PDB file of all heavy atoms in Angstrom:
ATOM      1  N   SER A 116       0.844   4.608  14.829  1.00 48.00           N
ATOM      2  CA  SER A 116       0.912   6.025  15.165  1.00 48.00           C
ATOM      3  C   SER A 116       1.167   6.886  13.940  1.00 48.00           C
ATOM      4  O   SER A 116       0.707   8.015  13.859  1.00 48.00           O
ATOM      5  CB  SER A 116       1.985   6.275  16.219  1.00 48.00           C
ATOM      6  OG  SER A 116       3.265   6.016  15.680  1.00 48.00           O
ATOM      7  N   SER A 117       1.896   6.356  12.977  1.00 58.00           N
ATOM      8  CA  SER A 117       2.150   7.145  11.776  1.00 58.00           C
ATOM      9  C   SER A 117       0.911   7.230  10.892  1.00 58.00           C
ATOM     10  O   SER A 117       0.760   8.162  10.118  1.00 58.00           O
ATOM     11  CB  SER A 117       3.317   6.547  10.993  1.00 58.00           C
ATOM     12  OG  SER A 117       2.965   5.269  10.506  1.00 58.00           O
ATOM     13  N   ARG A 118       0.016   6.280  11.004  1.00 72.00           N
ATOM     14  CA  ARG A 118      -1.193   6.286  10.192  1.00 72.00           C
ATOM     15  C   ARG A 118      -2.320   7.064  10.839  1.00 72.00           C
ATOM     16  O   ARG A 118      -3.073   7.739  10.178  1.00 72.00           O
ATOM     17  CB  ARG A 118      -1.661   4.853   9.933  1.00 72.00           C
ATOM     18  CG  ARG A 118      -0.696   4.101   9.078  1.00 72.00           C
ATOM     19  CD  ARG A 118      -1.241   2.757   8.769  1.00 72.00           C
ATOM     20  NE  ARG A 118      -0.240   2.046   7.985  1.00 72.00           N
ATOM     21  CZ  ARG A 118      -0.194   0.767   7.872  1.00 72.00           C
ATOM     22  NH1 ARG A 118      -1.076   0.018   8.481  1.00 72.00           N
ATOM     23  NH2 ARG A 118       0.731   0.181   7.155  1.00 72.00           N
ATOM     24  N   ASP A 119      -2.484   6.927  12.147  1.00 77.00           N
ATOM     25  CA  ASP A 119      -3.595   7.565  12.834  1.00 77.00           C
ATOM     26  C   ASP A 119      -3.162   7.970  14.241  1.00 77.00           C
ATOM     27  O   ASP A 119      -3.293   7.191  15.179  1.00 77.00           O
ATOM     28  CB  ASP A 119      -4.779   6.606  12.890  1.00 77.00           C
ATOM     29  CG  ASP A 119      -6.063   7.296  13.288  1.00 77.00           C
ATOM     30  OD1 ASP A 119      -6.001   8.440  13.779  1.00 77.00           O
ATOM     31  OD2 ASP A 119      -7.126   6.691  13.091  1.00 77.00           O
ATOM     32  N   PRO A 120      -2.647   9.181  14.397  1.00 86.00           N
ATOM     33  CA  PRO A 120      -2.155   9.598  15.711  1.00 86.00           C
ATOM     34  C   PRO A 120      -3.245   9.641  16.781  1.00 86.00           C
ATOM     35  O   PRO A 120      -2.980   9.377  17.944  1.00 86.00           O
ATOM     36  CB  PRO A 120      -1.568  10.980  15.461  1.00 86.00           C
ATOM     37  CG  PRO A 120      -2.031  11.403  14.126  1.00 86.00           C
ATOM     38  CD  PRO A 120      -2.463  10.193  13.378  1.00 86.00           C
ATOM     39  N   GLU A 121      -4.468   9.946  16.384  1.00 87.00           N
ATOM     40  CA  GLU A 121      -5.555   9.997  17.362  1.00 87.00           C
ATOM     41  C   GLU A 121      -5.845   8.612  17.931  1.00 87.00           C
ATOM     42  O   GLU A 121      -6.070   8.448  19.127  1.00 87.00           O
ATOM     43  CB  GLU A 121      -6.812  10.578  16.715  1.00 87.00           C
ATOM     44  CG  GLU A 121      -7.911  10.873  17.701  1.00 87.00           C
ATOM     45  CD  GLU A 121      -9.101  11.545  17.048  1.00 87.00           C
ATOM     46  OE1 GLU A 121      -8.883  12.421  16.193  1.00 87.00           O
ATOM     47  OE2 GLU A 121     -10.219  11.186  17.404  1.00 87.00           O
ATOM     48  N   LEU A 122      -5.813   7.593  17.076  1.00 84.00           N
ATOM     49  CA  LEU A 122      -6.035   6.226  17.524  1.00 84.00           C
ATOM     50  C   LEU A 122      -4.895   5.771  18.434  1.00 84.00           C
ATOM     51  O   LEU A 122      -5.120   5.073  19.418  1.00 84.00           O
ATOM     52  CB  LEU A 122      -6.171   5.293  16.320  1.00 84.00           C
ATOM     53  CG  LEU A 122      -6.676   3.892  16.596  1.00 84.00           C
ATOM     54  CD1 LEU A 122      -8.046   3.933  17.247  1.00 84.00           C
ATOM     55  CD2 LEU A 122      -6.745   3.100  15.312  1.00 84.00           C
ATOM     56  N   LYS A 123      -3.683   6.184  18.131  1.00 89.00           N
ATOM     57  CA  LYS A 123      -2.521   5.874  18.982  1.00 89.00           C
ATOM     58  C   LYS A 123      -2.718   6.478  20.361  1.00 89.00           C
ATOM     59  O   LYS A 123      -2.435   5.839  21.380  1.00 89.00           O
ATOM     60  CB  LYS A 123      -1.243   6.415  18.327  1.00 89.00           C
ATOM     61  CG  LYS A 123      -0.009   6.390  19.206  1.00 89.00           C
ATOM     62  CD  LYS A 123       0.724   5.096  19.104  1.00 89.00           C
ATOM     63  CE  LYS A 123       2.114   5.163  19.709  1.00 89.00           C
ATOM     64  NZ  LYS A 123       2.148   5.075  21.138  1.00 89.00           N
ATOM     65  N   LYS A 124      -3.220   7.733  20.417  1.00 90.00           N
ATOM     66  CA  LYS A 124      -3.480   8.375  21.707  1.00 90.00           C
ATOM     67  C   LYS A 124      -4.522   7.592  22.504  1.00 90.00           C
ATOM     68  O   LYS A 124      -4.398   7.421  23.716  1.00 90.00           O
ATOM     69  CB  LYS A 124      -3.962   9.807  21.497  1.00 90.00           C
ATOM     70  CG  LYS A 124      -2.884  10.754  21.039  1.00 90.00           C
ATOM     71  CD  LYS A 124      -3.455  12.144  20.819  1.00 90.00           C
ATOM     72  CE  LYS A 124      -2.450  13.075  20.181  1.00 90.00           C
ATOM     73  NZ  LYS A 124      -3.036  14.384  19.872  1.00 90.00           N
ATOM     74  N   GLU A 125      -5.566   7.126  21.799  1.00 89.00           N
ATOM     75  CA  GLU A 125      -6.610   6.339  22.460  1.00 89.00           C
ATOM     76  C   GLU A 125      -6.032   5.054  23.043  1.00 89.00           C
ATOM     77  O   GLU A 125      -6.352   4.662  24.164  1.00 89.00           O
ATOM     78  CB  GLU A 125      -7.732   5.990  21.470  1.00 89.00           C
ATOM     79  CG  GLU A 125      -8.591   7.157  21.075  1.00 89.00           C
ATOM     80  CD  GLU A 125      -9.532   7.596  22.179  1.00 89.00           C
ATOM     81  OE1 GLU A 125      -9.838   6.806  23.082  1.00 89.00           O
ATOM     82  OE2 GLU A 125      -9.950   8.759  22.138  1.00 89.00           O
ATOM     83  N   LEU A 126      -5.179   4.386  22.275  1.00 90.00           N
ATOM     84  CA  LEU A 126      -4.566   3.148  22.749  1.00 90.00           C
ATOM     85  C   LEU A 126      -3.660   3.421  23.936  1.00 90.00           C
ATOM     86  O   LEU A 126      -3.696   2.694  24.930  1.00 90.00           O
ATOM     87  CB  LEU A 126      -3.779   2.471  21.622  1.00 90.00           C
ATOM     88  CG  LEU A 126      -3.075   1.169  22.007  1.00 90.00           C
ATOM     89  CD1 LEU A 126      -4.083   0.138  22.487  1.00 90.00           C
ATOM     90  CD2 LEU A 126      -2.285   0.634  20.831  1.00 90.00           C
ATOM     91  N   ASP A 127      -2.853   4.480  23.863  1.00 91.00           N
ATOM     92  CA  ASP A 127      -1.977   4.828  24.980  1.00 91.00           C
ATOM     93  C   ASP A 127      -2.795   5.129  26.237  1.00 91.00           C
ATOM     94  O   ASP A 127      -2.436   4.704  27.339  1.00 91.00           O
ATOM     95  CB  ASP A 127      -1.102   6.033  24.620  1.00 91.00           C
ATOM     96  CG  ASP A 127      -0.037   5.691  23.596  1.00 91.00           C
ATOM     97  OD1 ASP A 127       0.271   4.490  23.421  1.00 91.00           O
ATOM     98  OD2 ASP A 127       0.484   6.628  22.955  1.00 91.00           O
ATOM     99  N   ALA A 128      -3.886   5.862  26.076  1.00 91.00           N
ATOM    100  CA  ALA A 128      -4.745   6.193  27.218  1.00 91.00           C
ATOM    101  C   ALA A 128      -5.362   4.925  27.814  1.00 91.00           C
ATOM    102  O   ALA A 128      -5.443   4.771  29.039  1.00 91.00           O
ATOM    103  CB  ALA A 128      -5.841   7.169  26.799  1.00 91.00           C
ATOM    104  N   THR A 129      -5.763   3.997  26.946  1.00 89.00           N
ATOM    105  CA  THR A 129      -6.347   2.742  27.416  1.00 89.00           C
ATOM    106  C   THR A 129      -5.311   1.930  28.192  1.00 89.00           C
ATOM    107  O   THR A 129      -5.614   1.374  29.255  1.00 89.00           O
ATOM    108  CB  THR A 129      -6.884   1.924  26.224  1.00 89.00           C
ATOM    109  OG1 THR A 129      -7.865   2.701  25.538  1.00 89.00           O
ATOM    110  CG2 THR A 129      -7.506   0.626  26.685  1.00 89.00           C
ATOM    111  N   VAL A 130      -4.088   1.864  27.679  1.00 91.00           N
ATOM    112  CA  VAL A 130      -3.031   1.111  28.351  1.00 91.00           C
ATOM    113  C   VAL A 130      -2.697   1.748  29.697  1.00 91.00           C
ATOM    114  O   VAL A 130      -2.535   1.049  30.709  1.00 91.00           O
ATOM    115  CB  VAL A 130      -1.777   1.020  27.444  1.00 91.00           C
ATOM    116  CG1 VAL A 130      -0.591   0.474  28.210  1.00 91.00           C
ATOM    117  CG2 VAL A 130      -2.067   0.159  26.228  1.00 91.00           C
ATOM    118  N   GLU A 131      -2.615   3.080  29.738  1.00 92.00           N
ATOM    119  CA  GLU A 131      -2.326   3.774  30.997  1.00 92.00           C
ATOM    120  C   GLU A 131      -3.444   3.547  32.015  1.00 92.00           C
ATOM    121  O   GLU A 131      -3.181   3.311  33.197  1.00 92.00           O
ATOM    122  CB  GLU A 131      -2.117   5.269  30.751  1.00 92.00           C
ATOM    123  CG  GLU A 131      -0.797   5.600  30.110  1.00 92.00           C
ATOM    124  CD  GLU A 131       0.391   5.151  30.941  1.00 92.00           C
ATOM    125  OE1 GLU A 131       0.385   5.341  32.181  1.00 92.00           O
ATOM    126  OE2 GLU A 131       1.329   4.574  30.345  1.00 92.00           O
ATOM    127  N   THR A 132      -4.671   3.625  31.551  1.00 90.00           N
ATOM    128  CA  THR A 132      -5.808   3.397  32.447  1.00 90.00           C
ATOM    129  C   THR A 132      -5.789   1.977  32.985  1.00 90.00           C
ATOM    130  O   THR A 132      -6.058   1.742  34.162  1.00 90.00           O
ATOM    131  CB  THR A 132      -7.139   3.670  31.707  1.00 90.00           C
ATOM    132  OG1 THR A 132      -7.103   4.981  31.176  1.00 90.00           O
ATOM    133  CG2 THR A 132      -8.320   3.517  32.632  1.00 90.00           C
TER     134      THR A 132
END
Side-chain angles (χ1 to χ4, degrees):
S116 67
S117 66
R118 293 184 182 159
D119 194 346
E121 189 176 319
L122 192 59
K123 169 88 167 79
K124 288 178 188 175
E125 289 287 338
L126 179 60
D127 289 341
T129 301
V130 169
E131 286 300 317
T132 305

